């Protein structure tokens, strides 16, 4: 397992070296290709994807890899009878921020292979988050830090550029009981449901009693926003909406963002929900499935669920078919 992790940290060092020089090496900007999400692929996220595929593909104990940048999982076919792990990753989350020098991140989740066949399959990838063996992220910010859990608490390792190694810097991270921030994109407020609007006013101390008084922080890079709330206490939410496009399932990816970060939140004493229930209990139906996401301090996330139950029955009815897998999210 540590050999697998060394594949991730090697890829992280390669990515970090490219991220910090992106403005110099003409790898900024897009390559005018679109990824499976329909998003313009920035050159750096293509390079990051290649680094992870190569560093993990040669580890021997990785049977399947699934990337947010690839339509389908990559089954590692070399003769590896011991390819017992599945690695799911978003190679460079928040990549639209690269050109403006805002922190970006790599998110990874590690499942154990469950299929009977010699080589991995999609069923090995589409497992619920409560079966994760480990998960973590690397945040490429003022320093480069890997935050990781294998089910025994959350620990932070900071890259020492002089040594070229990640050194333990934050042992047993716990989300503070007293939250300080909430993170949401107010630009989408016109499309929020009644329950989300009331939840937001509650967070701002404008509605209801026992409301916290939080500051708003949102950089539009999930790893950066999550990392701040993990260390300082708070809640990040990207709800579903009822725009005319009617995407009650929102934007966040279950397999590539929500599961890994939900696992870390849970290990640090927090909680992650799709607005109805625990993200880690959700049985995935498709690789690029999207879910609404509320993640951070448990009491704040549970308050969001309460507002949704009270005011958003229409949204719940619209979202449930996607949650059950009766209809695929796009
Ligand atoms: P918006 C990046 O594309 C991402 O998936 C997350 O990193 C980030 O939190 C979110 O989208 C930002 O989305 O719509 O607020 O720009």
């Amino acid at each position: 397992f540590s050999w697998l992790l060394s594949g991730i940290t090697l890829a992280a060092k390669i990515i970090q070296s490219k991220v910090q020089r992106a403005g110099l090496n003409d790898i900024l900007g897009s390559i005018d290709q679109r990824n499976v999400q329909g998003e313009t692929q920035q050159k750096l996220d293509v390079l990051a994807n290649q680094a992870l595929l190569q560093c993990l593909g040669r580890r021997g104990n990785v049977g399947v890899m699934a990337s947010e940048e690839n339509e389908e999982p990559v089954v590692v076919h070399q003769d590896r009878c011991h390819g017992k792990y599945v690695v799911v990753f978003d190679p460079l989350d928040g990549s639209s921020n690269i050109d403006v020098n805002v922190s970006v991140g790599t998110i990874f989740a590690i499942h154990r292979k469950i299929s009977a066949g010699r080589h991995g399959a999609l069923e090995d990838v589409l497992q619920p988050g409560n079966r994760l063996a480990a998960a973590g992220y690397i945040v490429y910010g003022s320093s480069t830090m890997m935050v990781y859990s294998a089910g025994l608490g959350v620990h932070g390792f900071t890259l020492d550029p002089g040594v070229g190694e990640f050194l333990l810097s934050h042992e047993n991270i716990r989300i503070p009981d007293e939250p300080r921030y909430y993170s949401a994109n107010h630009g989408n407020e016109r499309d929020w449901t009644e329950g989300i609007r009331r939840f937001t006013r509650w967070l701002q101390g404008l509605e209801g009693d026992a409301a916290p008084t939080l500051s708003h922080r949102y950089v539009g890079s999930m790893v950066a926003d999550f990392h701040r709330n993990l260390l300082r206490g708070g809640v990040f939410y990207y709800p579903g909406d009822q725009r005319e496009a009617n995407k009650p399932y929102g934007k966040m990816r279950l397999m590539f963002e929500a599961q890994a970060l939900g696992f870390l939140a849970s290990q640090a004493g927090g909680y992650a929900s799709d607005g109805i229930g625990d993200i880690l209990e959700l049985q995935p139906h498709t690789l690029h499935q999207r879910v609404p996401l509320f993640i951070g301090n448990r009491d704040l996330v549970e308050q969001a669920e309460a507002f949704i139950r009270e005011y958003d029955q229409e949204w719940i009815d619209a979202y449930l078919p996607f949650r059950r897998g009766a209809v695929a999210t796009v």
Side-chain angles (χ1 to χ4, degrees):
F1 193 73
S2 52
W3 177 231
L4 186 163
L5 268 185
S6 69
I8 292 177
T9 53
L10 175 58
K13 285 182 259 185
I14 294 168
I15 295 166
Q16 188 268 344
S17 69
K18 297 192 186 300
V19 166
Q20 70 174 12
R21 296 181 56 78
L24 300 170
N25 297 351
D26 185 31
I27 52 177
L28 281 181
S30 66
I31 52 172
D32 293 332
Q33 279 180 8
R34 289 191 174 277
N35 65 11
V36 66
Q37 315 292 339
E39 296 163 339
T40 302
Q41 273 194 309
Q42 303 270 4
K43 293 176 185 173
L44 257 180
D45 45 21
V46 174
L47 292 169
N49 195 38
Q50 288 165 353
L52 279 157
L53 290 171
Q54 285 166 20
C55 291
L56 287 168
R58 297 194 172 94
R59 271 318 182 251
N61 56 1
V62 175
V64 193
M65 296 180 285
S67 169
E68 195 247 357
E69 299 292 336
N70 293 59
E71 179 87 23
E72 303 295 336
V74 175
V75 177
V76 184
H77 280 293
Q78 286 92 319
D79 182 27
R80 284 177 168 75
C81 56
H82 50 297
K84 64 181 181 181
Y85 293 110
V86 178
V87 187
V88 181
F89 53 84
D90 183 350
L92 208 57
D93 185 79
S95 54
S96 58
N97 287 300
I98 291 168
D99 291 3
V100 293
N101 215 12
V102 168
S103 301
V104 292
T106 296
I107 305 172
F108 63 91
I110 303 170
H111 279 293
R112 295 175 189 84
K113 182 175 173 295
I114 53 174
S115 62
R118 180 181 179 77
H119 295 297
L122 184 59
E123 71 176 289
D124 295 309
V125 180
L126 298 182
Q127 298 184 59
N130 55 19
R131 286 209 217 119
L132 280 168
Y137 60 84
I138 296 96
V139 53
Y140 309 100
S142 48
S143 66
T144 297
M145 193 170 156
M146 179 173 78
V147 176
Y148 157 82
S149 175
L152 297 173
V154 178
H155 309 287
F157 302 80
T158 300
L159 181 66
D160 179 336
V163 176
E165 286 303 339
F166 284 93
L167 308 180
L168 180 62
S169 54
H170 296 65
E171 190 166 7
N172 199 23
I173 298 171
R174 301 289 294 174
I175 297 181
D177 291 337
E178 284 305 311
R180 284 178 54 187
Y181 301 112
Y182 78 95
S183 305
N185 182 347
H186 279 278
N188 297 333
E189 201 157 332
R190 68 190 175 288
D191 304 308
W192 286 350
T193 57
E194 178 66 16
I196 300 306
R197 287 200 189 96
R198 288 176 179 266
F199 173 58
T200 303
R201 287 173 55 80
W202 179 78
L203 292 170
Q204 296 166 330
L206 298 174
E207 164 134 1
D209 50 13
T213 48
L214 306 181
S215 291
H216 178 245
R217 292 281 189 285
Y218 187 80
V219 292
S221 189
M222 174 86 213
V223 169
D225 282 319
F226 177 79
H227 187 67
R228 179 204 328 97
N229 293 346
L230 178 73
L231 296 184
R232 295 289 178 266
V235 61
F236 169 101
Y237 53 106
Y238 206 105
D241 64 46
Q242 290 184 309
R243 268 178 261 206
E244 61 288 348
N246 194 22
K247 290 188 175 178
Y249 43 81
K251 173 180 182 179
M252 309 315 282
R253 288 84 170 188
L254 173 59
M255 298 309 296
F256 301 107
E257 292 163 316
Q259 263 201 13
L261 299 181
F263 179 77
L264 291 172
S266 169
Q267 284 289 314
Y271 174 50
S273 170
D274 63 347
I276 292 179
D278 190 340
I279 276 282
L280 301 182
E281 302 293 328
L282 281 184
Q283 172 55 50
H285 301 289
T286 57
L287 181 60
H288 297 279
Q289 181 173 343
R290 293 175 187 266
V291 288
L293 182 61
F294 302 77
I295 185 168
N297 285 71
R298 173 173 283 276
D299 55 340
L300 300 182
V301 175
E302 288 179 343
Q303 186 62 48
E305 290 177 334
F307 275 112
I308 289 169
R309 275 195 303 274
E310 184 168 359
Y311 296 100
D312 291 345
Q313 189 55 52
E314 186 183 337
W315 171 80
I316 291 171
D317 295 341
Y319 170 54
L320 283 180
F322 296 97
R323 190 180 205 259
R324 280 198 302 267
V327 182
T329 63
V330 293

